[in-house]
Amino acid sequence: MANVISDETIEYVGILAKLELSAKEKEQAKKDMGSMLDYIDKLNELDTSGVEPMSHVFPVNNVFREDVVENGDDRENLLKNAPEQKDGSYKVPKTVE
């Protein structure tokens, strides 16, 4: 394991993550973090000079549609259901004094 994680690093990460780790958990975290960094080092050995950068593994296209009003302003039909109306709006009882 070329990447050795110090106790201070584990303490700092624990503080940032707001974790209280036991001594056994700290040792395990050190091993896990070292393994992750070793894997990253292994990935860095790969020749990626001919590989185009990408943001996603699969091609992603914009799925948005145009915002088109379909039902329009049908205020008169909507207000037919209102028990009371005033100035083209629903009239409701006052709830706050």
Side-chain angles (χ1 to χ4, degrees):
M1 190 184 319
N3 293 298
V4 178
I5 307 297
S6 67
D7 292 332
E8 292 82 20
T9 302
I10 294 297
E11 286 291 327
Y12 182 66
V13 170
I15 290 169
L16 290 176
K18 298 184 180 185
L19 297 174
E20 293 182 25
L21 301 173
S22 67
K24 185 177 178 182
E25 291 171 327
K26 288 178 185 177
E27 286 302 313
Q28 186 60 46
K30 282 172 57 173
K31 289 179 189 174
D32 291 343
M33 291 176 86
S35 296
M36 287 183 235
L37 292 175
D38 288 340
Y39 185 70
I40 291 170
D41 286 343
K42 191 173 187 175
L43 290 175
N44 285 333
E45 294 173 7
L46 294 172
D47 179 22
T48 58
S49 57
V51 179
E52 289 186 38
M54 65 173 114
S55 61
H56 200 278
V57 179
F58 301 108
V60 179
N61 298 320
N62 189 352
V63 295
F64 297 117
R65 61 172 172 75
E66 287 292 321
D67 189 14
V68 178
V69 178
E70 294 178 2
N71 58 356
D73 184 19
D74 199 13
R75 183 182 304 250
E76 292 175 11
N77 282 332
L78 293 172
L79 287 173
K80 286 180 184 177
N81 294 325
E84 292 185 56
Q85 48 183 295
K86 179 180 178 184
D87 299 328
S89 298
Y90 287 97
K91 183 176 178 184
V92 296
K94 187 175 183 177
T95 56
V96 179
E97 295 289 331

